[in-house]
């Protein structure tokens, strides 16, 4: 009886360990928009990191373009410098001006940000890269903002990550990166909030880099912890199986 329990426990631990190791790869198999810090607020400013994995086996990612919907009325975008990549912000004239809650009229909105790899900095199939942006003001009439992305490979192939996730939550094959917006707290003034966010967005020196480095370190630590748990699960499972086999052999010898 106890031997069967040990065997089942070992098998379960090993299974959990393998699932933990494989899950990290599965979860990052598409372009995602990640928030490292406070959730963006409707009408405020946001700092988002687009994580892009390179998945084609015999070619490399050379360009990443992210669309900003014109009806969001995003008036300004700042990109964090990324060694080996150039960033270009595209703005388009709006057919009809968008009036924000604080009375500001947006006549020209950001419609795309494109990152292009310099020679020697393309992403191989085993690589991923993070592209950081801060922007605003955000719309107040939606609960979530979507950013369709377009990933270009060195052989000319373009993969579009532009499918909306349905309300049921079942993820499509090529989901568009999206970020949920928090409701603006009662009493928050548009001018004060915008001023504070603009001040944060204009900090492009050590403060921004330190915050990004801290966020990256946290993400790496969490990823490493997941791998460690998986490895421990494999070790426990293997140990339990060996002990069960020894106990069985010893019991047979005694009889």
């Amino acid at each position: 009886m106890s031997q069967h329990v040990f065997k089942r426990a070992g098998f379960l631990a090993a299974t959990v360990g393998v699932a933990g190791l494989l899950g990290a790869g599965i979860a990052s198999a598409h372009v995602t928009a990640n928030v490292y810090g406070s959730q963006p607020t409707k009408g405020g400013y946001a700092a988002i990191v687009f994580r892009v994995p390179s998945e084609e086996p015999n070619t490399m990612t050379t360009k990443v373009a992210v669309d900003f919907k014109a009806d969001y009325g995003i008036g300004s975008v700042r990109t964090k410098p990324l060694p080996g990549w150039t960033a270009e912000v595209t703005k388009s004239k709006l057919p009809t001006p968008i009036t924000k809650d604080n009375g500001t009229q947006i006549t020209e909105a950001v419609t795309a940000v494109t990152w292009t790899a310099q020679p020697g900095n393309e992403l191989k199939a085993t690589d991923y890269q993070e592209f950081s942006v801060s922007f605003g003001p955000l719309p107040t009439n939606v609960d979530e903002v979507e950013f369709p992305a377009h990933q270009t490979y060195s052989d000319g192939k373009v993969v579009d990550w532009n499918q909306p996730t349905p309300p049921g939550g079942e993820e499509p094959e090529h989901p568009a990166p999206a970020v949920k917006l928090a409701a603006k707290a009662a009493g928050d003034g548009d001018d004060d909030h915008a001023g504070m966010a603009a001040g944060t967005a204009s900090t492009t020196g050590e403060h921004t880099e330190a915050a990004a480095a801290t966020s990256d370190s946290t993400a790496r630590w969490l990823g490493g912890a997941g791998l460690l748990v998986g490895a421990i699960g494999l070790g426990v499972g293997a140990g339990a199986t060996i002990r069960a086999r020894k106990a069985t052999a010893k019991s047979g010898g005694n009889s």
Side-chain angles (χ1 to χ4, degrees):
M1 179 69 178
S2 59
Q3 293 173 6
H4 290 298
V5 171
F6 275 124
K7 288 181 180 179
R8 290 178 181 175
F11 177 77
L12 178 60
T15 302
V16 172
V18 172
L21 291 172
L22 296 179
I26 294 173
S28 59
H30 52 76
V31 178
T32 57
N34 304 283
V35 177
Y36 298 152
S38 301
Q39 197 70 15
T41 304
K42 294 179 180 181
Y45 282 69
I48 291 177
V49 176
F50 294 101
R51 175 170 291 187
V52 180
S54 197
E55 299 179 312
E56 296 296 321
N58 299 314
T59 185
M60 299 180 291
T61 296
T62 59
K63 183 168 67 174
V64 176
V66 176
D67 295 339
F68 286 66
K69 296 182 180 181
D71 55 4
Y72 289 162
I74 304 297
S76 65
V77 168
R78 291 177 180 268
T79 60
K80 181 182 178 182
L82 181 63
W85 291 74
T86 58
E88 180 183 2
V89 177
T90 301
K91 284 190 171 185
S92 302
K93 194 79 173 178
L94 296 176
T96 303
I98 295 176
T99 303
K100 295 295 184 177
D101 286 359
N102 61 1
T104 301
Q105 276 203 336
I106 305 295
T107 59
E108 190 179 56
V110 175
T111 51
V113 178
T114 303
W115 290 269
T116 304
Q118 298 172 4
N121 293 276
E122 301 89 347
L123 303 181
K124 300 186 295 295
T126 55
D127 295 342
Y128 78 90
Q129 186 57 268
E130 293 187 331
F131 303 90
S132 302
V133 294
S134 63
F135 55 89
L138 294 165
T140 57
N141 59 345
V142 296
D143 297 323
E144 182 179 74
V145 284
E146 286 186 346
F147 303 95
H150 314 280
Q151 185 173 6
T152 302
Y153 287 90
S154 54
D155 61 357
K157 179 180 180 179
V158 178
V159 178
D160 296 320
W161 303 93
N162 58 0
Q163 297 174 331
T165 300
E170 183 179 351
E171 190 173 81
E173 183 178 0
H174 292 90
V179 171
K180 293 187 180 299
L181 301 181
K184 183 169 60 177
D188 282 354
D190 291 329
D191 293 336
D192 292 341
H193 185 76
M196 178 184 69
T200 302
S202 66
T203 305
T204 57
E206 298 87 278
H207 178 73
T208 301
E209 293 180 1
T214 300
S215 298
D216 185 63
S217 297
T218 301
R220 291 173 185 270
W221 183 88
L222 290 174
L227 291 176
L228 178 60
V229 170
I232 291 174
L234 287 174
V236 170
T241 301
I242 291 171
R243 287 194 297 273
R245 288 179 177 175
K246 286 183 177 181
T248 302
K250 183 176 179 182
S251 175
N254 289 339
S255 62

